[in-house]
Amino acid sequence: MIVRKLSEIINTERDVKAENGNWISRRFLLKKCGMGFSFHETKIFAGTETLIWYKNHLEAVYCVGGSGEIELIDTGEKFQIEDGTMYALNENEKHYLRAFEDMRMICVFNPPLTGKEVHDENGVYPIIKEN
Ligand code: 9YT
């Protein structure tokens, strides 16, 4: 059994900060944990806009604090996100994520992240073969 506390993750290599400063992601479970998915808590900072396109991954996100919106690039559709809202990028939708307030998001990735991925200029995480 794996038990992990946020306080054990903060300021370790599992505590990942976006290069543009828009978010931080605490990785509770990564590929090497063998669960078949990775499990993160992400804080998205108020006033930020992030272009995200997980074309290699499926991601589900549950907002447990704050508010913001998603805008899908292909259709222009907007979805309001607040405490208690879940969204799943089941078709690898390219989108903007805008935070109106600091947002706390619980995120699951399939396939799991290894922890070494970095968003490229399109907000894409590459597939990494090793653990
Ligand atoms: C909600 C979202 O996709 N935020 C960007 C960070 C990402 N979830 C991660 O690496 O944890």
Side-chain angles (χ1 to χ4, degrees), residues 19-38:
E19 279 181 6
N20 59 14
N22 286 4
W23 49 263
I24 48 176
S25 176
R26 278 76 187 252
R27 276 76 188 267
F28 284 84
L29 294 171
L30 289 167
K31 184 178 180 188
K32 63 187 174 194
C33 301
M35 295 291 289
F37 55 85
S38 58

PDB file of all heavy atoms in Angstrom, residues 19-38:
ATOM      1  N   GLU A  19       7.331  26.239 -16.116  1.00  0.00           N
ATOM      2  CA  GLU A  19       8.370  27.223 -16.478  1.00  0.00           C
ATOM      3  C   GLU A  19       7.798  28.635 -16.552  1.00  0.00           C
ATOM      4  O   GLU A  19       8.473  29.595 -16.220  1.00  0.00           O
ATOM      5  CB  GLU A  19       8.987  26.851 -17.833  1.00  0.00           C
ATOM      6  CG  GLU A  19      10.035  25.773 -17.701  1.00  0.00           C
ATOM      7  CD  GLU A  19      10.663  25.413 -19.033  1.00  0.00           C
ATOM      8  OE1 GLU A  19      10.371  26.085 -20.040  1.00  0.00           O
ATOM      9  OE2 GLU A  19      11.436  24.442 -19.051  1.00  0.00           O
ATOM     10  N   ASN A  20       6.532  28.749 -17.001  1.00  0.00           N
ATOM     11  CA  ASN A  20       5.922  30.079 -17.124  1.00  0.00           C
ATOM     12  C   ASN A  20       5.317  30.570 -15.808  1.00  0.00           C
ATOM     13  O   ASN A  20       4.710  31.637 -15.755  1.00  0.00           O
ATOM     14  CB  ASN A  20       4.856  30.081 -18.233  1.00  0.00           C
ATOM     15  CG  ASN A  20       3.748  29.069 -17.966  1.00  0.00           C
ATOM     16  OD1 ASN A  20       3.614  28.547 -16.866  1.00  0.00           O
ATOM     17  ND2 ASN A  20       2.952  28.798 -18.989  1.00  0.00           N
ATOM     18  N   GLY A  21       5.447  29.761 -14.761  1.00  0.00           N
ATOM     19  CA  GLY A  21       4.964  30.188 -13.441  1.00  0.00           C
ATOM     20  C   GLY A  21       3.457  30.080 -13.254  1.00  0.00           C
ATOM     21  O   GLY A  21       2.929  30.497 -12.228  1.00  0.00           O
ATOM     22  N   ASN A  22       2.737  29.482 -14.244  1.00  0.00           N
ATOM     23  CA  ASN A  22       1.272  29.451 -14.171  1.00  0.00           C
ATOM     24  C   ASN A  22       0.728  28.437 -13.175  1.00  0.00           C
ATOM     25  O   ASN A  22      -0.387  28.592 -12.698  1.00  0.00           O
ATOM     26  CB  ASN A  22       0.673  29.127 -15.545  1.00  0.00           C
ATOM     27  CG  ASN A  22       0.747  30.293 -16.500  1.00  0.00           C
ATOM     28  OD1 ASN A  22       1.314  31.332 -16.174  1.00  0.00           O
ATOM     29  ND2 ASN A  22       0.195  30.127 -17.685  1.00  0.00           N
ATOM     30  N   TRP A  23       1.483  27.367 -12.890  1.00  0.00           N
ATOM     31  CA  TRP A  23       0.948  26.322 -12.032  1.00  0.00           C
ATOM     32  C   TRP A  23       2.065  25.584 -11.322  1.00  0.00           C
ATOM     33  O   TRP A  23       3.242  25.663 -11.718  1.00  0.00           O
ATOM     34  CB  TRP A  23       0.078  25.325 -12.820  1.00  0.00           C
ATOM     35  CG  TRP A  23       0.669  24.787 -14.083  1.00  0.00           C
ATOM     36  CD1 TRP A  23       0.442  25.232 -15.352  1.00  0.00           C
ATOM     37  CD2 TRP A  23       1.593  23.682 -14.223  1.00  0.00           C
ATOM     38  NE1 TRP A  23       1.156  24.485 -16.258  1.00  0.00           N
ATOM     39  CE2 TRP A  23       1.856  23.531 -15.599  1.00  0.00           C
ATOM     40  CE3 TRP A  23       2.211  22.817 -13.322  1.00  0.00           C
ATOM     41  CZ2 TRP A  23       2.726  22.545 -16.093  1.00  0.00           C
ATOM     42  CZ3 TRP A  23       3.075  21.833 -13.812  1.00  0.00           C
ATOM     43  CH2 TRP A  23       3.316  21.703 -15.182  1.00  0.00           C
ATOM     44  N   ILE A  24       1.680  24.887 -10.256  1.00  0.00           N
ATOM     45  CA  ILE A  24       2.573  23.909  -9.635  1.00  0.00           C
ATOM     46  C   ILE A  24       1.812  22.602  -9.541  1.00  0.00           C
ATOM     47  O   ILE A  24       0.585  22.582  -9.412  1.00  0.00           O
ATOM     48  CB  ILE A  24       3.073  24.328  -8.232  1.00  0.00           C
ATOM     49  CG1 ILE A  24       1.910  24.793  -7.359  1.00  0.00           C
ATOM     50  CG2 ILE A  24       4.140  25.377  -8.302  1.00  0.00           C
ATOM     51  CD1 ILE A  24       2.337  25.131  -5.948  1.00  0.00           C
ATOM     52  N   SER A  25       2.534  21.505  -9.644  1.00  0.00           N
ATOM     53  CA  SER A  25       1.911  20.185  -9.684  1.00  0.00           C
ATOM     54  C   SER A  25       2.619  19.266  -8.715  1.00  0.00           C
ATOM     55  O   SER A  25       3.838  19.071  -8.803  1.00  0.00           O
ATOM     56  CB  SER A  25       2.004  19.634 -11.110  1.00  0.00           C
ATOM     57  OG  SER A  25       1.491  18.322 -11.160  1.00  0.00           O
ATOM     58  N   ARG A  26       1.865  18.727  -7.791  1.00  0.00           N
ATOM     59  CA  ARG A  26       2.417  17.797  -6.805  1.00  0.00           C
ATOM     60  C   ARG A  26       2.035  16.397  -7.221  1.00  0.00           C
ATOM     61  O   ARG A  26       0.846  16.056  -7.246  1.00  0.00           O
ATOM     62  CB  ARG A  26       1.868  18.114  -5.422  1.00  0.00           C
ATOM     63  CG  ARG A  26       2.569  19.242  -4.694  1.00  0.00           C
ATOM     64  CD  ARG A  26       2.223  20.626  -5.189  1.00  0.00           C
ATOM     65  NE  ARG A  26       3.042  21.659  -4.580  1.00  0.00           N
ATOM     66  CZ  ARG A  26       2.591  22.538  -3.674  1.00  0.00           C
ATOM     67  NH1 ARG A  26       1.340  22.535  -3.317  1.00  0.00           N
ATOM     68  NH2 ARG A  26       3.420  23.413  -3.145  1.00  0.00           N
ATOM     69  N   ARG A  27       3.027  15.575  -7.523  1.00  0.00           N
ATOM     70  CA  ARG A  27       2.781  14.253  -8.083  1.00  0.00           C
ATOM     71  C   ARG A  27       2.771  13.180  -6.986  1.00  0.00           C
ATOM     72  O   ARG A  27       3.801  12.730  -6.527  1.00  0.00           O
ATOM     73  CB  ARG A  27       3.841  13.928  -9.138  1.00  0.00           C
ATOM     74  CG  ARG A  27       3.558  14.480 -10.525  1.00  0.00           C
ATOM     75  CD  ARG A  27       3.807  15.950 -10.648  1.00  0.00           C
ATOM     76  NE  ARG A  27       3.373  16.524 -11.914  1.00  0.00           N
ATOM     77  CZ  ARG A  27       4.160  16.671 -12.984  1.00  0.00           C
ATOM     78  NH1 ARG A  27       5.400  16.288 -12.961  1.00  0.00           N
ATOM     79  NH2 ARG A  27       3.684  17.228 -14.073  1.00  0.00           N
ATOM     80  N   PHE A  28       1.569  12.771  -6.619  1.00  0.00           N
ATOM     81  CA  PHE A  28       1.412  11.729  -5.592  1.00  0.00           C
ATOM     82  C   PHE A  28       1.758  10.356  -6.150  1.00  0.00           C
ATOM     83  O   PHE A  28       2.356   9.526  -5.458  1.00  0.00           O
ATOM     84  CB  PHE A  28      -0.023  11.723  -5.057  1.00  0.00           C
ATOM     85  CG  PHE A  28      -0.322  12.844  -4.113  1.00  0.00           C
ATOM     86  CD1 PHE A  28      -0.699  14.089  -4.590  1.00  0.00           C
ATOM     87  CD2 PHE A  28      -0.215  12.673  -2.747  1.00  0.00           C
ATOM     88  CE1 PHE A  28      -0.967  15.136  -3.722  1.00  0.00           C
ATOM     89  CE2 PHE A  28      -0.479  13.705  -1.865  1.00  0.00           C
ATOM     90  CZ  PHE A  28      -0.853  14.944  -2.356  1.00  0.00           C
ATOM     91  N   LEU A  29       1.325  10.094  -7.377  1.00  0.00           N
ATOM     92  CA  LEU A  29       1.591   8.796  -8.024  1.00  0.00           C
ATOM     93  C   LEU A  29       2.142   9.052  -9.413  1.00  0.00           C
ATOM     94  O   LEU A  29       1.571   9.849 -10.170  1.00  0.00           O
ATOM     95  CB  LEU A  29       0.309   7.963  -8.143  1.00  0.00           C
ATOM     96  CG  LEU A  29      -0.336   7.491  -6.841  1.00  0.00           C
ATOM     97  CD1 LEU A  29      -1.707   6.872  -7.123  1.00  0.00           C
ATOM     98  CD2 LEU A  29       0.561   6.472  -6.120  1.00  0.00           C
ATOM     99  N   LEU A  30       3.226   8.382  -9.766  1.00  0.00           N
ATOM    100  CA  LEU A  30       3.829   8.464 -11.092  1.00  0.00           C
ATOM    101  C   LEU A  30       3.868   7.062 -11.708  1.00  0.00           C
ATOM    102  O   LEU A  30       3.494   6.070 -11.059  1.00  0.00           O
ATOM    103  CB  LEU A  30       5.242   9.038 -10.987  1.00  0.00           C
ATOM    104  CG  LEU A  30       5.302  10.537 -10.637  1.00  0.00           C
ATOM    105  CD1 LEU A  30       6.713  10.950 -10.233  1.00  0.00           C
ATOM    106  CD2 LEU A  30       4.809  11.382 -11.814  1.00  0.00           C
ATOM    107  N   LYS A  31       4.345   6.999 -12.950  1.00  0.00           N
ATOM    108  CA  LYS A  31       4.383   5.718 -13.672  1.00  0.00           C
ATOM    109  C   LYS A  31       5.062   4.624 -12.849  1.00  0.00           C
ATOM    110  O   LYS A  31       4.597   3.481 -12.773  1.00  0.00           O
ATOM    111  CB  LYS A  31       5.118   5.918 -14.994  1.00  0.00           C
ATOM    112  CG  LYS A  31       5.144   4.714 -15.886  1.00  0.00           C
ATOM    113  CD  LYS A  31       5.862   5.048 -17.184  1.00  0.00           C
ATOM    114  CE  LYS A  31       5.891   3.831 -18.102  1.00  0.00           C
ATOM    115  NZ  LYS A  31       6.753   4.097 -19.276  1.00  0.00           N
ATOM    116  N   LYS A  32       6.184   4.988 -12.210  1.00  0.00           N
ATOM    117  CA  LYS A  32       6.963   3.983 -11.468  1.00  0.00           C
ATOM    118  C   LYS A  32       6.190   3.394 -10.286  1.00  0.00           C
ATOM    119  O   LYS A  32       6.597   2.367  -9.742  1.00  0.00           O
ATOM    120  CB  LYS A  32       8.289   4.581 -10.986  1.00  0.00           C
ATOM    121  CG  LYS A  32       8.151   5.725 -10.018  1.00  0.00           C
ATOM    122  CD  LYS A  32       9.515   6.342  -9.735  1.00  0.00           C
ATOM    123  CE  LYS A  32       9.383   7.596  -8.887  1.00  0.00           C
ATOM    124  NZ  LYS A  32      10.583   8.397  -8.847  1.00  0.00           N
ATOM    125  N   CYS A  33       5.094   4.000  -9.897  1.00  0.00           N
ATOM    126  CA  CYS A  33       4.286   3.464  -8.794  1.00  0.00           C
ATOM    127  C   CYS A  33       3.444   2.271  -9.245  1.00  0.00           C
ATOM    128  O   CYS A  33       2.882   1.543  -8.407  1.00  0.00           O
ATOM    129  CB  CYS A  33       3.397   4.549  -8.206  1.00  0.00           C
ATOM    130  SG  CYS A  33       4.320   5.969  -7.585  1.00  0.00           S
ATOM    131  N   GLY A  34       3.339   2.078 -10.575  1.00  0.00           N
ATOM    132  CA  GLY A  34       2.720   0.857 -11.100  1.00  0.00           C
ATOM    133  C   GLY A  34       1.198   0.815 -11.043  1.00  0.00           C
ATOM    134  O   GLY A  34       0.608  -0.265 -11.125  1.00  0.00           O
ATOM    135  N   MET A  35       0.558   1.971 -10.928  1.00  0.00           N
ATOM    136  CA  MET A  35      -0.905   1.984 -10.828  1.00  0.00           C
ATOM    137  C   MET A  35      -1.595   2.057 -12.192  1.00  0.00           C
ATOM    138  O   MET A  35      -2.819   1.934 -12.286  1.00  0.00           O
ATOM    139  CB  MET A  35      -1.355   3.177  -9.974  1.00  0.00           C
ATOM    140  CG  MET A  35      -0.908   3.099  -8.532  1.00  0.00           C
ATOM    141  SD  MET A  35      -1.738   1.787  -7.615  1.00  0.00           S
ATOM    142  CE  MET A  35      -3.389   2.454  -7.487  1.00  0.00           C
ATOM    143  N   GLY A  36      -0.816   2.372 -13.241  1.00  0.00           N
ATOM    144  CA  GLY A  36      -1.423   2.494 -14.567  1.00  0.00           C
ATOM    145  C   GLY A  36      -1.936   3.896 -14.849  1.00  0.00           C
ATOM    146  O   GLY A  36      -2.432   4.180 -15.942  1.00  0.00           O
ATOM    147  N   PHE A  37      -1.864   4.781 -13.877  1.00  0.00           N
ATOM    148  CA  PHE A  37      -2.219   6.195 -14.056  1.00  0.00           C
ATOM    149  C   PHE A  37      -1.329   7.002 -13.128  1.00  0.00           C
ATOM    150  O   PHE A  37      -0.717   6.454 -12.211  1.00  0.00           O
ATOM    151  CB  PHE A  37      -3.708   6.452 -13.732  1.00  0.00           C
ATOM    152  CG  PHE A  37      -4.139   6.000 -12.365  1.00  0.00           C
ATOM    153  CD1 PHE A  37      -3.973   6.819 -11.256  1.00  0.00           C
ATOM    154  CD2 PHE A  37      -4.694   4.731 -12.169  1.00  0.00           C
ATOM    155  CE1 PHE A  37      -4.367   6.396  -9.983  1.00  0.00           C
ATOM    156  CE2 PHE A  37      -5.083   4.298 -10.905  1.00  0.00           C
ATOM    157  CZ  PHE A  37      -4.915   5.138  -9.804  1.00  0.00           C
ATOM    158  N   SER A  38      -1.223   8.296 -13.394  1.00  0.00           N
ATOM    159  CA  SER A  38      -0.566   9.157 -12.409  1.00  0.00           C
ATOM    160  C   SER A  38      -1.619  10.067 -11.791  1.00  0.00           C
ATOM    161  O   SER A  38      -2.696  10.290 -12.361  1.00  0.00           O
ATOM    162  CB  SER A  38       0.595   9.955 -13.021  1.00  0.00           C
ATOM    163  OG  SER A  38       0.168  10.747 -14.096  1.00  0.00           O
TER     164      SER A  38
END
